[in-house]
Amino acid sequence: VAQTPSEKPRSLLPVIEVIPDRCYENPTWKGLYYFFRDLVVYGAAIAGLLLTDKIYFLIPLWIVAGLAVSGLFVVGHDAAHQALFKSKRLNGIVGRIAMIPSLHVFEAWVLGHNRVHHGHTIKSGFDFVWHPVSPEEYQAMSSGQKLLHKIEWSPAGYGLYYARQVWWQKMIWFIEPPKRYAAAIKRDKAILGASLLVICAVLAVVGYAQYDSVFGSLWLLIKVVAIPAALFMYTIGLVVHIHHIDKNIEWHGRREWTKYHGQVEGTTIIHAPKWLDFFLHWILEHSPHHVDMRIPMYNLYDAGQAMTAHFPVPERKLRVKDIVSNTRACKVFDFDQHRWMTYAEADAMRLPAPELDLSSSSQSHKAARTPAG
């Protein structure tokens, strides 16, 4: 029986208790199966891209490659949570390899995603993933900043938002990570950099041999590495938007925020078609993953069904009209009234004027209202 608002727990323990033990089973063979299956799909798409320049082949191959990169990323994401295997070492090896096509630094992802995003989901001022601006912040923006915000918070901008705000600023180009994590992040940056250097060098040589020009080398790098990675950025940006941006999801300040607010009410369970789950590994069944990160991706559906039988978790089928509706409605968040606003509503909102000390300036105000004699 679903609980009423007055009965909502503050902790996640009551929610975790309803999840069956079988949802935590993660045999080694199963994690390796999904990892190698995704590698095969990705490899086949890359082989196809190497063999053709015909646009009617390139487009479907790019789509498959982008989705395959997304699938490998989800595998790496599970490994980063130590959910894919019981072995920490195996999680580390598979996770780092799986994240290379998406250009992600494994330990930087662990810090930003596991510790910050999961630890403070939809908490104002802490969670950096699709953090909304207030009406005051929006109105204080320059015209250029408003334009960038409108692009990134539009259906066309999911990938740009993720690439700039999450991947680049929080995973690649942050200045100084906490000392506790700095060495591991530096090591994984080196691993990723060396891997990409080797891959790009091989592709550059192959491209020059195939096209007999430097531009041919550049084209091969764009065709095989850059475009699939860009399509992944768009896919993951859209997916994370679906996870946490919804007309019925409220962001909370630090004092009022609870783990239940963040991990149950701040997430969604979206049932995707089977062909999409083939690539994204049920990651849209997102609430159980936030409730307990130990649940492997292939058990998220069962865990989610156990949760919805006892708690009012947002749940629905994946529909384009819902994505469009939420994207149109959720532009700016009023943290005082706890509601989402459109840009038009934010522009029309009258913000309070600065308070004046009338006792000390009454004479000057009187003089200002009196015409010169």
Side-chain angles (χ1 to χ4, degrees):
V1 178
Q3 297 191 346
T4 62
S6 61
E7 299 172 327
K8 289 179 184 178
R10 292 180 62 84
S11 77
L12 296 176
L13 185 59
V15 189
I16 293 174
E17 287 176 342
V18 307
I19 298 174
D21 291 341
R22 68 177 185 276
C23 292
Y24 294 91
E25 296 175 359
N26 60 346
T28 300
W29 70 264
K30 207 165 188 176
L32 289 175
Y33 162 73
Y34 284 107
F35 174 54
F36 285 113
R37 189 197 72 177
D38 288 352
L39 280 178
V40 169
V41 175
Y42 175 67
I46 295 304
L49 289 171
L50 289 170
L51 294 172
T52 186
D53 283 321
K54 292 180 170 58
I55 191 64
Y56 48 81
F57 287 137
L58 287 178
I59 291 176
L61 284 169
W62 278 328
I63 292 172
V64 172
L67 288 171
V69 172
S70 302
L72 282 167
F73 179 81
V74 176
V75 168
H77 160 272
D78 256 35
H81 282 298
Q82 303 297 314
L84 198 62
F85 307 108
K86 294 178 178 65
S87 166
K88 183 176 181 179
R89 181 179 178 83
L90 188 56
N91 277 315
I93 294 171
V94 169
R96 286 172 176 84
I97 295 171
M99 286 191 171
I100 289 173
S102 59
L103 316 181
H104 274 63
V105 178
F106 185 78
E107 282 293 342
W109 174 262
V110 170
L111 172 61
H113 179 76
N114 295 15
R115 295 183 173 90
V116 179
H117 172 58
H118 271 265
H120 306 280
T121 309
I122 66 164
K123 184 191 293 185
S124 175
F126 290 83
D127 187 4
F128 62 87
V129 180
W130 286 109
H131 193 300
V133 296
S134 67
E136 294 84 358
E137 290 170 328
Y138 176 72
Q139 290 193 7
M141 288 180 178
S142 67
S143 57
Q145 290 172 328
K146 285 184 177 180
L147 177 60
L148 179 59
H149 192 278
K150 288 178 179 179
I151 292 172
E152 290 185 337
W153 284 70
S154 73
Y158 300 132
L160 176 61
Y161 174 91
Y162 183 87
R164 190 178 75 90
Q165 299 269 20
V166 180
W167 176 73
W168 182 252
Q169 292 186 4
K170 301 299 190 297
M171 304 290 169
I172 299 296
W173 195 249
F174 54 90
I175 299 174
E176 189 64 39
K179 291 183 179 180
R180 180 180 174 185
Y181 310 108
I185 292 174
K186 184 178 180 180
R187 177 202 63 207
D188 282 2
K189 277 189 175 183
I191 291 173
L192 177 64
S195 301
L196 291 176
L197 184 63
V198 171
I199 291 169
C200 291
V202 170
L203 288 174
V205 171
V206 172
Y208 193 86
Q210 185 174 350
Y211 298 100
D212 196 26
S213 72
V214 174
F215 291 106
S217 296
L218 182 60
W219 164 238
L220 202 63
L221 290 171
I222 293 171
K223 182 172 67 166
V224 173
V225 177
I227 293 179
L231 290 174
F232 156 78
M233 295 287 182
Y234 184 88
T235 301
I236 197 65
L238 169 60
V239 164
V240 178
H241 190 277
I242 294 171
H243 286 166
H244 301 295
I245 301 300
D246 187 283
K247 287 175 285 188
N248 297 314
I249 291 180
E250 299 180 6
W251 282 64
H252 299 275
R254 182 180 63 178
R255 292 182 179 179
E256 60 188 6
W257 183 89
T258 67
K259 289 185 177 180
Y260 185 89
H261 283 321
Q263 316 308 349
V264 178
E265 295 183 327
T267 55
T268 54
I269 291 179
I270 307 294
H271 304 306
K274 290 183 179 180
W275 71 266
L276 191 55
D277 277 336
F278 175 88
F279 290 103
L280 299 184
H281 303 308
W282 305 276
I283 197 63
L284 291 178
E285 310 274 342
H286 205 56
S287 298
H289 168 65
H290 266 261
V291 167
D292 199 331
M293 295 178 284
R294 298 173 299 169
I295 301 171
M297 57 195 186
Y298 43 78
N299 290 333
L300 290 176
Y301 177 82
D302 288 344
Q305 291 308 291
M307 286 173 52
T308 56
H310 297 83
F311 297 92
V313 183
E315 179 187 23
R316 62 176 179 269
K317 289 184 178 181
L318 179 64
R319 298 184 298 186
V320 173
K321 70 175 184 178
D322 290 331
I323 299 173
V324 172
S325 175
N326 280 316
T327 303
R328 285 177 175 172
C330 302
K331 301 296 189 183
V332 174
F333 191 77
D334 188 327
F335 292 91
D336 295 325
Q337 298 184 30
H338 295 279
R339 71 182 184 95
W340 285 98
M341 305 175 69
T342 64
Y343 289 125
E345 290 173 322
D347 283 326
M349 184 176 179
R350 290 190 175 183
L351 300 179
E355 292 185 3
L356 298 175
D357 185 359
L358 298 178
S359 61
S360 61
S361 57
S362 57
Q363 294 301 317
S364 61
H365 279 282
K366 182 177 180 180
R369 291 195 299 270
T370 305

